[in-house]
């Protein structure tokens, strides 16, 4: 069954989307990534056809290039046409509450709500991932993959998913992070995580989260703290509804240091200790 659905415009980002597709296939497996809706058979309800394809997936990647918003057919913008395939794909994902991760490529940028049909405006509330076409391409995809893993349903996480490598130095060095939860009923004792056992710390309302927060403003899978072998601990927003703030500033991704205050909804998490390459303890 497909896990990841890639929505894109051929005349906007076909080449770049192909590169992203190849990287995701090499990590998750060919059967897990869906990129193209083939010619829809005559007489078939095209919305139902797309709905079936999108509905099989756990997450939709909306690849946005420079021409994504203004792409036109004759004198009309494609997005203004209710039958536009990209529009239909994203509308179905929103209606079915399937997570959408905007992927900005080339000179693409997040559209403003006023540039979109009202049915797609909610996409502008999602934090986007930037993937460069140049030398940073692989590094950017490497950061995207752990986020996608957290969005996949447990039944879809199999042997084809390769964890971030941990070398002997990391294990022997015993890097760790200690978090203090404030304003919660979950417990006031600091929680410590060792990078050799918890390279990805999932935070949210879901019962499977490593740090579970009982707050309706917190998404089921709201944020993640990732241990990077070169730089230490990284805070990453998982395209949450209400976002993540670090020291009072909303962020998508940021290196963590001792004393940082992470806010999700009404809950706050303080970084009490952190060890690693660039962590200041």
């Amino acid at each position: 069954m497909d896990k990841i659905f890639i929505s894109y415009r051929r005349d906007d980002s076909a080449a770049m989307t192909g590169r992203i597709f190849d990287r995701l296939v090499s990590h998750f497996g060919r059967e897990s990534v869906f990129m193209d809706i083939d010619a829809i058979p005559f007489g078939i309800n095209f919305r139902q056809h797309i709905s079936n394809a999108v509905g099989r997936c756990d997450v939709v990647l909306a690849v946005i290039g420079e021409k994504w918003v203004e792409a036109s057919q004759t004198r009309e913008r494609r997005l203004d046409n209710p039958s536009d395939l990209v529009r239909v794909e994203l509308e179905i994902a929103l209606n079915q509450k399937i997570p959408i991760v905007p992927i900005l490529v080339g000179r693409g940028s997040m559209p403003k709500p006023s540039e979109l049909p009202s049915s797609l405006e909610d996409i502008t509330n999602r934090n986007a991932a930037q993937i460069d076409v140049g030398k940073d391409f692989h590094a950017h995809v490497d950061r995207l993959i752990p986020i996608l893993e957290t969005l996949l349903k447990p039944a879809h996480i199999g042997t084809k998913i390769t964890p971030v490598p941990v070398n002997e130095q990391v294990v022997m060095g015993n890097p760790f992070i200690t978090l203090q939860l404030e304003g919660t009923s979950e417990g006031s004792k600091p929680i410590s995580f060792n990078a050799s056992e918890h390279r990805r710390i999932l935070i949210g309302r879901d019962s499977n989260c490593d740090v579970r927060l009982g707050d309706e403003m917190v998404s089921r899978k709201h944020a993640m703290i990732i241990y990077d072998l070169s730089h230490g601990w990284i805070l990453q927003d998982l395209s949450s509804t209400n976002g993540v703030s670090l020291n009072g500033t909303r962020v998508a991704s940021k290196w963590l240091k001792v004393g940082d205050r992470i806010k999700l909804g009404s809950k706050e998490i303080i970084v009490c200790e952190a060890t690693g390459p660039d962590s200041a303890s």
Side-chain angles (χ1 to χ4, degrees):
M1 181 178 287
D2 304 310
K3 307 171 187 177
I4 302 166
F5 185 101
I6 303 180
S7 173
Y8 75 107
R9 295 194 185 283
R10 283 186 172 87
D11 55 358
D12 176 51
S13 59
M16 188 63 171
T17 301
R19 291 185 67 192
I20 296 171
F21 173 80
D22 289 341
R23 277 297 314 275
L24 296 182
V25 165
S26 70
H27 184 84
F28 293 102
R30 176 63 186 86
E31 74 286 356
S32 301
V33 187
F34 187 99
M35 187 172 81
D36 279 302
I37 291 184
D38 296 328
I40 299 174
F42 293 117
I44 297 296
N45 183 313
F46 78 95
R47 285 184 178 273
Q48 188 59 52
H49 185 83
I50 296 174
S51 180
N52 291 340
V54 174
R56 290 196 301 266
C57 296
D58 295 338
V59 59
V60 171
L61 304 186
V63 183
I64 300 174
E66 184 178 9
K67 301 177 182 179
W68 189 84
V69 171
E70 297 301 330
S72 62
Q73 191 169 20
T74 64
R75 296 181 180 180
E76 181 186 42
R77 285 194 326 164
R78 292 183 182 177
L79 279 177
D80 293 328
N81 183 349
S83 298
D84 174 53
L85 292 184
V86 167
R87 174 173 169 172
V88 172
E89 291 165 359
L90 298 181
E91 285 176 341
I92 289 172
L94 290 170
N95 290 336
Q96 296 189 20
K97 300 188 183 305
I98 297 172
I100 296 175
V101 179
I103 305 294
L104 306 182
V105 300
R107 296 182 180 179
S109 60
M110 278 298 288
K112 300 175 183 178
S114 59
E115 296 177 310
L116 298 175
S118 59
S119 59
L120 297 183
E121 288 181 1
D122 187 55
I123 292 175
T124 61
N125 296 320
R126 318 292 171 106
N127 281 325
Q130 181 79 48
I131 297 184
D132 289 342
V133 298
K135 63 180 181 180
D136 292 328
F137 171 81
H138 290 291
H140 288 177
V141 177
D142 287 340
R143 292 185 184 181
L144 174 65
I145 286 174
I147 298 171
L148 296 181
E149 288 181 352
T150 68
L151 296 173
L152 300 181
K153 295 176 182 176
H156 285 169
I157 299 178
T159 57
K160 289 185 178 295
I161 295 180
T162 305
V164 174
V166 175
N167 57 35
E168 192 66 21
Q169 180 181 359
V170 171
V171 174
M172 296 302 294
N174 197 36
F176 67 92
I177 188 169
T178 301
L179 306 173
Q180 173 76 50
L181 279 62
E182 290 199 345
T184 71
S185 59
E186 288 78 6
S188 58
K189 292 183 179 180
I191 308 171
S192 291
F193 297 92
N194 188 306
S196 63
E197 298 176 358
H198 291 89
R199 296 188 301 280
R200 303 184 185 100
I201 304 166
L202 186 59
I203 306 172
R205 292 200 334 267
D206 193 274
S207 59
N208 293 322
C209 289
D210 301 294
V211 178
R212 188 179 181 187
L213 302 176
D215 184 343
E216 288 302 315
M217 294 182 66
V218 174
S219 299
R220 290 180 63 254
K221 295 178 180 179
H222 196 113
M224 175 179 284
I225 296 175
I226 305 167
Y227 185 76
D228 180 89
L229 301 183
S230 300
H231 299 90
W233 299 95
I234 308 168
L235 173 66
Q236 177 72 59
D237 186 2
L238 299 178
S239 297
S240 62
T241 301
N242 295 310
V244 176
S245 293
L246 182 67
N247 303 322
T249 302
R250 184 160 176 168
V251 299
S253 180
K254 196 76 173 180
W255 308 113
L256 290 174
K257 63 182 185 301
V258 172
D260 279 343
R261 304 180 79 92
I262 306 165
K263 190 167 185 180
L264 303 86
S266 63
K267 310 299 184 181
E268 194 166 56
I269 301 172
I270 301 173
V271 179
C272 299
E273 297 177 284
T275 62
D278 290 348
S279 301
S281 56

